[in-house]
Amino acid sequence: MVERAESESRKLLGRLRDTMASQAAGQERLDQITHLTADSMGTEVCSIYLFRDDETLELCATQGLNPESVHQTRMKLGEGLVGRVARTGKVINAADAPSAKGFRYMPETGEEIYSSFLGVPIQRLGEKLGVLVVQSKEAREFSADEIYALEVVAMVLAEMTELGAFVGEGAALRARHTQPVLIRGVTAQEGTAEGHVWLHEPRVVVTNLVADDPAKERARLTEAVENLRISVDQLLAVASGDSEQVQVLEAYRMFANSKGWMRRMEENIDRGLSAEAAVEKEQSDVRARMLQATDAYLRERLHDLDDLSNRLLRILTGQGNKTGAALPEDPILVARNIGPGELLEYGRQLRGIILEEGSVGSHAAIVARALAIPLVINAKRIQIEALNGDHVMVDGDQGVVHLRPDDTVVNAFRDKMAMQAKAQERYASIRDKPAVTLCGKTIRLDMNAGLMADLPSLESSGAEGVGLFRTELQFLVRSQMPKRTELAALYARVLDAAQGKRVVFRTLDIGSDKVLPYMAAEEEPNPALGWRAIRVGLDKPGVMRMQLQALLRAANGRPLSIMFPFIAQYDEYRLARAEVDKAVAREKKLGHTLPEKLEIGAMLETPSLAFASKRFYEEVEFLSIGGNDLKQFFFAADRENERVRRRYDTLNVSFLTFIEDIVARCAATNTRLSFCGEDAGRPVEALCLAAIGLHSLSMRPASVGPVKHLLRRCNLDDVRKVIHDARDAGEQSVRPAVMEYLRGLS
């Protein structure tokens, strides 16, 4: 029985292959496939429904229903049995369709005489393309073999659709990857960019779906799987020190050695598929099942399966990551996700980055900010929709991607970029001028940095120094711990490039969303509130001591500013400061040149430190408010959570009052205070921070010009009065009142 089913399946696939090879037009090919399928399965009806838009299915070909209903009959996603198959991605097998749940009668098709119904989704790697249906007058359920046969036809239809085999008139038969697409994601790095798509991992295209020699295809599959297993074992051997990577690769090995996985692919081959098509069908089937799972662990394993299947497909097809395509002159990188090391290899040649996943605090986001490259994350379906070379526009300010934009969008986007460029020219004219307000207050504007590549921006941006140099990037992009001599040489180059301007080095800020690839990851229920930053440094002081020694040697007699991250209480600062004193004593004993001036500060990122004793404020030499973390803890709103992170305004009265209290405490003890974070680089927020007494701000280089431009046009006394009046009036946020004040300036 199985052999007969396999033989019939191979026979049908052979006839489908002939249809694919024909020179027929798209509609004619669809018509031929419905005839072939109905004939092979012994049914009176075979119909193909394809999506004309995200919510609407259209009858595109039929054998057995009224031919005049083709391209006329349409239904919404979830409507009728066909709509249910499309929505759920699950097979519906009904012996008595009219009595089945959700049945919808379509009189124009003439289907009322048919009882049994079998519908399977036409989908490719999770992308829903349509529904394939067979019907017959006899009231019966279709067998497992018949369901399988129809699924194979649906898979062939999906691949042929991807390859453009059914292009014709109407929305449902339009060519794929040619229409404009708007994708809404999340801003991870602001800025705008126009360019052409460069896929970090190009899609594998399967062109040989059908094979005549199952034994040969089985042998090809066996050899490819063996090569896959060897490569996974080799990767495991290299990754032995990285627990997170080991965990992923162990999942790879589990899949690669799964007998059930191999058996199902071999069965696909026996039924007439090529080795490549067998792998892709199994990938699609498992993907469909796992997407229905409620278990978060199972859904996470879906990525492992996809990566493994794609590796196997590349082995079988010979289509590696290097396709021979040339990197465009204006590349916009598109990927599911990407590590910091890989991103740094691309460097500043990228115009923009679009990730299907990611987070605002991810390693990729940190590097993108350091390189000032616009980045949009959580751009769903971008990998499915985009092809290498596609025209794309990235609006990092709004978190929007325009793929293959039409002329209207292109013109509007270019107008926006031209306005930004014109504004930059205006900012360039005040680059060397101080940020002096109309009331005579001078605001110090520093820049944030994390790579040597950032340092040229120190002069071009007009920043007065580096208010925050993130030292963790040098640790994150390496596969092993950097040596002290390497760090000392790097820090020395940073100070050289600064040409005497102040650079504040923040010591290693790891943990939470920044896990070193060569350190064991700690499983924590809430990493942002867990073992991170100074807590790691004090519990494992070896790395901190090595970094402090490297900084002291890099200074080589020059002034040096060191800042400790995530200090939550006075005692942590005291202990960290004691480590500096030990390092200084050791360097002095070794005869090394000590810094001309050494100042030690802390980042105020937790509300607790705002209420530390007066003794702490007297002892610490400078403080920098870490606005990103402080705001999320103040409002109890995770900045990685899109549902809540935009809910709370920096210009909320309670938050500004809290910041004012910190300003007052620092003024009372004559402690230098600055504000560092995304909000420091937003002109309106920066203006309000300056108005309540923060006269030192640190931001990304591109923000220095816009912030300085606004500050030079405003009177801080007036702005402070607007803020206090809004607070006295019981307003929740001062933003509306401040915006009204700014409108009055123009």
Side-chain angles (χ1 to χ4, degrees), residues 104-158:
R104 179 203 158 198
Y105 174 53
M106 296 179 292
E108 73 274 14
T109 66
E111 66 174 343
E112 66 273 10
I113 61 175
Y114 303 108
S115 294
S116 58
F117 174 99
L118 174 61
V120 302
I122 301 171
Q123 55 190 1
R124 184 177 187 272
L125 303 181
E127 182 186 12
K128 296 173 181 177
L129 303 173
V131 178
L132 176 62
V133 174
V134 292
Q135 296 170 272
S136 65
K137 294 177 181 177
E138 179 189 358
R140 68 181 182 93
E141 283 196 352
F142 291 87
S143 69
D145 287 330
E146 288 172 316
I147 294 172
Y148 181 90
L150 200 63
E151 286 178 332
V152 169
V153 176
M155 178 193 173
V156 173
L157 279 168

Side-chain angles (χ1 to χ4, degrees), residues 369 444-449 465-470 472 502 504 506 509 563 565 602-605 622-631 639 650 655 659 673-682 686 689 694-700:
R369 289 187 201 113
R444 179 184 175 92
L445 302 182
D446 288 327
M447 61 170 261
N448 300 330
V466 178
L468 168 66
F469 190 89
R470 305 180 186 92
E472 60 270 10
R502 181 175 183 247
V504 178
R506 183 178 70 186
D509 185 2
M563 179 166 64
M603 289 205 80
L604 195 159
E605 299 167 275
F622 66 93
L623 280 172
S624 179
I625 295 174
N628 298 341
D629 262 330
L630 184 62
K631 191 165 73 171
R639 64 189 176 113
T650 304
F655 188 63
I659 298 295
L673 178 66
S674 64
F675 187 101
C676 173
E678 294 174 10
D679 290 318
R682 296 186 171 120
L689 292 171
L694 278 156
H695 296 161
S696 178
L697 307 171
S698 189
M699 62 204 70
R700 64 189 184 103

Side-chain angles (χ1 to χ4, degrees), residues 314-333:
R314 287 193 172 92
I315 293 171
L316 283 165
T317 62
Q319 298 175 32
N321 282 346
K322 300 190 182 302
T323 61
L327 187 75
E329 292 182 1
D330 51 1
I332 304 286
L333 183 75

Side-chain angles (χ1 to χ4, degrees), residues 613-632:
S613 66
K614 183 181 179 183
R615 181 74 175 273
F616 164 73
Y617 281 88
E618 291 172 338
E619 186 173 325
V620 70
E621 287 165 290
F622 66 93
L623 280 172
S624 179
I625 295 174
N628 298 341
D629 262 330
L630 184 62
K631 191 165 73 171
Q632 78 166 336

